[in-house]
Amino acid sequence: MSDKSNDEIYDEFYDLVNMTPSELEDWLDTDKSKDVGQDSGDGEAIGHKSGKKIIKIKNKKKDELTETNYNHMNKVIGYINRHKAQKPSSDIKESDWRYSLKNWGHDPCKDMDC
């Protein structure tokens, strides 16, 4: 699936996922979080489900991570990188673009002035 080593995936994941598990958990409980993203087929967005997985991953020690965890971490890396490249020219603070990224554990306002 990926030419990256697990160490490379781990480092990139932790560089991009800039929300703590508690920040992400609080965010996922909001209506704004639940109102964005592509439905996974059961009424919950793919990104919202991903956020729940990210919380579990970030609550594990590195040596407890499974290959399934690394596969999801790599998926998160790809999503965040693709989505960041689609930054709108308008204000992002209250945008679906930002909310979607936050579901995937990345708050762009931590990296830029919002």
Side-chain angles (χ1 to χ4, degrees):
M1 179 175 142
S2 171
D3 292 335
K4 294 185 223 174
S5 71
N6 283 352
D7 284 337
E8 290 170 316
I9 291 170
Y10 182 90
D11 290 344
E12 192 171 355
F13 176 84
Y14 275 90
D15 283 344
L16 289 171
V17 178
N18 63 5
M19 295 174 72
T20 66
S22 61
E23 286 174 326
L24 187 50
E25 199 165 11
D26 289 347
W27 167 250
L28 292 175
D29 284 339
T30 68
D31 288 339
K32 289 178 181 177
S33 167
K34 295 171 185 166
D35 289 344
V36 296
Q38 182 180 348
D39 191 315
S40 64
D42 63 5
E44 184 178 11
I46 295 167
H48 200 268
K49 285 184 176 182
S50 176
K52 292 175 182 177
K53 291 179 185 177
I54 292 166
I55 291 167
K56 290 178 182 171
I57 289 168
K58 289 194 85 171
N59 281 324
K60 289 185 175 188
K61 292 181 174 70
K62 186 176 182 180
D63 63 356
E64 296 172 336
L65 295 170
T66 65
E67 205 55 39
T68 300
N69 293 145
Y70 279 105
N71 288 337
H72 189 70
M73 291 162 74
N74 202 38
K75 180 178 178 178
V76 170
I77 291 164
Y79 179 84
I80 292 173
N81 283 330
R82 282 190 312 277
H83 204 65
K84 280 175 61 175
Q86 300 169 356
K87 180 182 179 285
S89 57
S90 58
D91 181 38
I92 64 163
K93 187 171 185 176
E94 300 294 328
S95 68
D96 286 352
W97 177 81
R98 178 183 178 215
Y99 299 158
S100 184
L101 275 169
K102 285 180 73 172
N103 280 354
W104 289 79
H106 179 80
D107 184 353
C109 286
K110 287 187 173 192
D111 295 337
M112 61 183 73
D113 200 22
C114 285

